[in-house]
């Protein structure tokens, strides 16, 4: 099966623990936490304190997506708070290897994230140091935006690059993933699907997640 990672950005924060237990019971695979600093993206969301609360609410892997400048300053705090996977944007720094190494040495699985306009060749030489590549299929900052269609071609090219260089790396897609878009995204080669509004905006999380998995189809890995 391919993996579904609901983004708590669209959860009801007055009942965060309950929401996380509900997606776990509904068949979610990872819990995606969107960290925004108001500098790298035009929105401010949550920090290690929330990650620590998420950690206490679930046994699922906690997947922390850092949309922040100078991510290297905060890696230790997020892993200590309970992050199992930490992804950093390629656009945030020139010493990406060092940051990815830091994530691994702190005990989490590193991922690199690319904005929609960022070319794939920027991460060719870090592919062997990551466990996953996250392609943004919207410009990061907000939930509920529409999927940018050329992400499909970008995903196909990334899949090719991964097959050639380091086949165990997973492809994660984030932004505008829903019941209408997931089949094509999966067909292009994605393995992990972040979904905020599509899951938390639905009335039956279990039904939505199982329909998403059905449309994504089996994993070829
Ligand atoms: C966007 C965030 C996403 C967002 C996805 O900046 O990184 O994770 O929550 O939201 P949906 O699934 O509603 O597009
Ligand atoms: Zn995200």
């Amino acid at each position: 099966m391919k993996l579904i990672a609901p983004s708590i950005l669209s959860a009801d924060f007055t009942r965060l623990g309950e929401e996380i237990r509900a997606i776990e019971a509904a068949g979610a695979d990872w819990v995606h936490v969107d960290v925004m600093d108001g500098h790298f993206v035009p929105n401010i969301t949550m920090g290690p304190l929330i990650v620590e609360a998420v950690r206490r609410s679930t046994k699922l892997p906690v997947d922390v997506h850092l949309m922040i400048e100078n991510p290297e300053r905060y890696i230790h705090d997020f892993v200590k708070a309970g992050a199992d996977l930490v992804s950093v944007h390629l656009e945030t720094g020139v010493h990406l290897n060092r940051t990815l190494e830091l994530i691994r040495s702190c005990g989490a699985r590193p991922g690199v994230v690319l904005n929609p306009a960022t070319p794939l060749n920027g991460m060719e030489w870090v592919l062997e140091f990551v466990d996953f590549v996250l392609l943004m299929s919207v410009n990061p900052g907000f939930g509920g935006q529409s999927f940018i269609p050329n992400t499909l071609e970008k995903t196909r090219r990334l899949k090719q690059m991964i097959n050639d260089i380091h086949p165990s790396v997973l492809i994660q897609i984030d932004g505008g993933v829903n019941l209408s878009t997931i089949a094509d995204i999966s067909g292009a080669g994605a393995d992990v699907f972040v979904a905020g509004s599509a899951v938390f905006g639905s009335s039956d999380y279990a039904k939505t997640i199982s329909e998403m998995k059905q449309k994504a189809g089996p994993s070829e890995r």
Side-chain angles (χ1 to χ4, degrees), residues 181-221:
T181 55
I182 194 166
D184 286 345
I185 305 168
S186 182
D191 305 288
V192 187
F193 304 85
V194 176
S197 48
V199 171
F200 287 104
S202 73
S203 53
D204 184 338
Y205 300 167
K207 185 164 174 275
T208 304
I209 291 173
S210 87
E211 282 179 13
M212 288 182 107
K213 288 192 178 191
Q214 217 172 345
K215 284 178 191 272
S219 172
E220 12 357 294
R221 286 170 185 277

Side-chain angles (χ1 to χ4, degrees), residues 71-84:
E72 65 284 355
R73 290 188 197 165
Y74 302 94
I75 303 297
H76 187 258
D77 291 346
F78 280 105
V79 177
K80 198 168 153 224
D84 299 287

Side-chain angles (χ1 to χ4, degrees), residues 23-197:
I23 54 162
E24 181 166 1
D29 298 289
W30 296 358
V31 180
H32 186 81
V33 182
D34 285 306
V35 176
M36 307 187 189
D37 66 353
H39 291 275
F40 180 67
V41 288
N43 194 6
I44 301 176
T45 57
M46 44 205 148
L49 202 63
I50 299 285
V51 170
E52 201 262 325
V54 172
R55 177 72 291 156
R56 281 189 283 119
S57 312
T58 183
K59 289 194 166 56
L60 293 178
V62 176
D63 167 31
V64 174
H65 174 192
L66 296 179
M67 286 160 276
I68 62 175
E69 286 177 4
N70 305 310
E72 65 284 355
R73 290 188 197 165
Y74 302 94
I75 303 297
H76 187 258
D77 291 346
F78 280 105
V79 177
K80 198 168 153 224
D84 299 287
L85 305 108
V86 178
S87 57
V88 293
H89 275 257
L90 176 69
E91 303 85 3
T92 55
V94 288
H95 301 297
L96 189 57
N97 288 63
R98 192 181 291 155
T99 308
L100 296 169
E101 260 171 43
L102 178 62
I103 295 170
R104 209 180 283 285
S105 70
C106 285
R109 298 173 66 188
V112 61
V113 194
L114 273 65
N115 276 334
T118 303
L120 289 177
N121 54 20
M123 51 108 242
E124 194 177 345
W125 296 100
V126 295
L127 209 45
E128 63 189 285
F129 305 114
V130 298
D131 285 12
F132 63 107
V133 176
L134 168 50
L135 293 185
M136 290 308 302
S137 39
V138 299
N139 287 291
F142 304 94
Q145 304 181 75
S146 300
F147 181 82
I148 298 172
N150 67 17
T151 311
L152 293 177
E153 181 55 22
K154 196 175 183 182
T155 305
R156 283 190 282 270
R157 290 191 200 179
L158 173 61
K159 179 75 179 169
Q160 188 64 53
M161 198 187 258
I162 285 174
N163 283 344
D164 291 346
I165 303 176
H166 202 60
S168 64
V169 171
L170 297 175
I171 301 180
Q172 183 179 41
I173 303 291
D174 186 0
V177 177
N178 55 41
L179 286 169
S180 317
T181 55
I182 194 166
D184 286 345
I185 305 168
S186 182
D191 305 288
V192 187
F193 304 85
V194 176
S197 48

